[in-house]
Amino acid sequence: LVLTSDTVASFGVRSFLAQYARPDDQEYYASKPPEMPYMDSDSDDDAAPAAPTTPVMKAEQVGKLQVVRQGSPWQLSSLQGVWFLAESESKVRLQFSTMEEVHFFGEGERQRFRRHLANALKTGEKRGVAQGWAVLPSDKTTLNDVRKVVKTQHEQGRPVAAL
């Protein structure tokens, strides 16, 4: 799963590594330790790390990646809903034109994705390419059911928390 400032895409690991790895990786990393621009953390208090100023992968390489889900990549501007399910498995549901369910190896990865997704949506909102978002704790698992709850809350004069 790859999240950028305006898309979410699902690529196979083999396809990603074939484009990302350099032919001289073994010699390059044997000669000097790589510099770490930041330390990643699962803390809710930490801000998302700044995006690199130079692209790590060239555009022509991205075009060669093999998608593993029909419809991928998805534009964040077409994202209609997100469910971080309170279940034993670490997963999230993303509602685009179809419902996409993503499973994570652990809760830490899911929480990291949640923070980065919130940051990408907020950035898109500032650029005017994404809709406003609201956070709503809910046991509803379909977009229509959530919309009914929000509409009822709005009619009763109860505000919905903004992202």
Side-chain angles (χ1 to χ4, degrees):
L1 188 67
V2 177
L3 173 65
T4 69
S5 60
D6 56 358
T7 60
V8 176
S10 180
F11 300 113
V13 173
R14 185 181 309 254
S15 171
F16 177 79
L17 290 176
Q19 297 304 316
Y20 186 76
R22 299 182 334 205
D24 66 338
D25 269 354
Q26 188 171 1
E27 295 82 24
Y28 177 80
Y29 289 112
S31 64
K32 65 177 184 173
E35 294 180 24
M36 301 302 286
Y38 61 87
M39 291 192 60
D40 199 6
S41 163
D42 287 337
S43 170
D44 283 338
D45 297 331
D46 291 343
T53 55
T54 57
V56 177
M57 192 179 286
K58 295 180 178 131
E60 60 269 10
Q61 291 173 298
V62 174
K64 295 177 184 176
L65 293 174
Q66 179 183 9
V67 297
V68 293
R69 289 185 186 241
Q70 188 68 23
S72 173
W74 303 279
Q75 296 295 317
L76 283 181
S77 59
S78 67
L79 183 63
Q80 300 170 17
V82 180
W83 288 262
F84 289 91
L85 306 169
E87 297 180 354
S88 60
E89 293 182 42
S90 297
K91 59 185 172 180
V92 63
R93 288 188 186 149
L94 304 168
Q95 177 73 50
F96 294 99
S97 59
T98 60
M99 180 73 77
E100 299 295 332
E101 189 169 274
V102 179
H103 294 258
F104 295 91
F105 288 112
E107 188 60 23
E109 288 83 11
R110 183 174 86 147
Q111 292 303 322
R112 187 175 299 114
F113 176 79
R114 177 186 60 81
R115 286 192 307 275
H116 287 285
L117 178 62
N119 189 38
L121 293 173
K122 189 172 282 196
T123 301
E125 229 175 277
K126 288 177 184 175
R127 292 184 305 162
V129 294
Q131 61 188 345
W133 282 88
V135 177
L136 178 67
S138 176
D139 59 349
K140 308 300 182 201
T141 58
T142 66
L143 189 58
N144 287 335
D145 290 344
V146 172
R147 284 182 175 152
K148 289 176 189 174
V149 170
V150 170
K151 183 178 178 183
T152 302
Q153 283 186 352
H154 183 69
E155 289 170 352
Q156 296 173 349
R158 295 185 346 215
V160 176
L163 177 66

